[in-house]
């Protein structure tokens, strides 16, 4: 399946943008009569046929539409402090998109080593990963947000804080896969290389966050973020199948 992305797809005839047209005709060497698939990133998968193989404005005819293609049975947002090495954060965006995620919220924390974030590059990484893994839902990359402001954002679901300090709650930290309720909205927060500060942990806990652990291993920021994506996916798969 060759998948192309355009947020504004029109039927019955649609013209791809110049970049996608070039990839379709010049790189993949497709031509009139060949079939491709398109998505708008909002769950719609379109089956189409090329009617004009111009490499600058390739036009296709929409043959059929499938809505809700590959829709996850849960909604997951990962709030994570971007790593000092931008490549590592982009690696997380790519892999999280492949596994399945609804949104990524870059955090500015007290111990952040990166306080600016170029979203343009991140958006391209997400789009490429979505197409390569044949996803019809494109994860949302939210603006970088200060920690306390992000905590105060309304969120109607479970909110989990992963950190390395001793737990504030008397019952201790919960293991993420066991804490997740299947089929719901989930937000997992992962700190920077220096972890969340004690004040940030206390602030989050005072606003309804549940403290969690991802296991006994010490993980890099981007590894912990991806591990949380996988854990939530597996927990939902197992619990929904029971």
């Amino acid at each position: 399946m060759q998948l192309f992305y355009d947020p504004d797809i029109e039927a019955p005839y649609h013209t791809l943008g110049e970049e996608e047209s070039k990839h379709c005709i010049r790189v993949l060497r497709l031509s009139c009569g060949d079939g491709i698939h398109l998505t708008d990133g909002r769950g719609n998968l379109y089956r189409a046929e090329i009617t004009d193989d111009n490499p600058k404005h390739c036009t296709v005819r929409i043959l059929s539409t499938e809505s809700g293609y590959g829709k996850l049975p849960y909604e997951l947002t990962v709030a994570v402090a971007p790593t000092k090495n931008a490549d590592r954060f982009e690696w997380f965006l790519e892999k999280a998109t492949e596994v399945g995620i609804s949104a990524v919220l870059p955090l500015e924390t007290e111990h952040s080593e990166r306080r600016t974030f170029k979203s343009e590059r991140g958006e391209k990484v997400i789009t490429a990963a979505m197409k390569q893994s044949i996803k019809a839902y494109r994860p949302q990359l939210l603006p970088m947000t200060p920690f306390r402001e992000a905590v105060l954002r309304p969120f109607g679901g479970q909110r989990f804080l992963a950190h390395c300090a001793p737990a504030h709650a008397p019952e201790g930290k919960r293991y993420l896969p066991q804490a997740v309720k299947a089929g719901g909205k989930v937000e997992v927060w992962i700190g920077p290389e220096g972890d969340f500060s004690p004040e940030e942990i206390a602030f989050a806990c005072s606003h309804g966050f549940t403290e969690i652990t991802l296991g006994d291993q010490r993980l890099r920021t981007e590894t912990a973020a991806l591990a949380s994506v996988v854990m939530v996916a597996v927990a939902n798969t197992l619990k929904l199948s029971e």
Side-chain angles (χ1 to χ4, degrees), residues 108 110 145-153 189 199-200 203:
E108 181 183 352
E110 288 187 33
T145 307
F147 182 89
R148 288 175 179 260
E149 180 181 327
V151 168
L152 297 175
R153 290 169 62 252
W189 287 43
E199 292 77 17
E200 288 171 333
F203 187 74

Side-chain angles (χ1 to χ4, degrees), residues 69 85 95 204 223 235 239:
Y69 180 82
N85 185 327
K95 301 309 175 186
T223 310
K239 292 179 181 181

Side-chain angles (χ1 to χ4, degrees), residues 30 58 66 72 80 83 103 107 109 139 143 155 164 169 185 228 233 237:
L30 300 177
C58 172
E66 181 178 352
L72 295 174
V80 56
T83 54
L107 290 175
T109 70
F155 185 78
C164 300
K185 293 180 65 176
S228 71
T237 299

Side-chain angles (χ1 to χ4, degrees), residues 160-164 188-191 195-196 210-214:
F160 299 112
L161 187 78
H163 65 83
C164 300
V188 180
W189 287 43
I190 305 294
D195 205 359
F196 294 117
T210 298
E211 297 170 280
I212 57 163
T213 176
L214 302 178

Side-chain angles (χ1 to χ4, degrees), residues 35-55:
I36 65 172
H37 288 80
L38 302 89
T39 183
D40 56 8
R42 296 188 294 275
N44 294 309
L45 183 69
Y46 302 87
R47 187 171 65 87
E49 178 184 71
I50 298 174
T51 58
D52 182 354
D53 52 13
N54 188 303

Side-chain angles (χ1 to χ4, degrees), residues 17 30 64 180 201 211:
L30 300 177
S64 64
V180 170
I201 295 171
E211 297 170 280

Side-chain angles (χ1 to χ4, degrees), residues 70-191:
K71 183 176 176 60
L72 295 174
Y74 58 91
E75 293 182 30
L76 170 63
T77 296
V78 172
V80 56
T83 54
K84 183 177 182 180
N85 185 327
D87 290 344
R88 291 186 179 277
F89 189 71
E90 291 173 4
W91 174 87
F92 161 68
L93 293 177
E94 177 183 76
K95 301 309 175 186
T97 300
E98 292 177 16
V99 175
I101 191 170
S102 304
V104 175
L105 173 61
L107 290 175
E108 181 183 352
T109 70
E110 288 187 33
H111 297 160
S112 288
E113 295 193 66
R114 176 174 291 277
R115 299 186 180 278
T116 58
F117 173 66
K118 295 181 179 180
S119 60
E120 296 84 1
R121 172 62 185 168
E123 297 282 10
K124 290 182 179 180
V125 169
I126 287 174
T127 297
M130 177 194 69
K131 294 193 297 182
Q132 290 167 359
S133 56
I134 316 298
K135 296 285 194 298
Y137 286 91
R138 186 180 183 281
Q140 185 178 10
L141 181 57
L142 301 170
M144 191 164 185
T145 307
F147 182 89
R148 288 175 179 260
E149 180 181 327
V151 168
L152 297 175
R153 290 169 62 252
F155 185 78
Q158 292 182 286
R159 305 182 89 180
F160 299 112
L161 187 78
H163 65 83
C164 300
H168 278 229
E171 63 272 20
K173 300 176 185 178
R174 298 191 65 188
Y175 184 46
L176 178 58
Q178 296 174 341
V180 170
K181 295 178 181 177
K185 293 180 65 176
V186 178
E187 200 171 73
V188 180
W189 287 43
I190 305 294

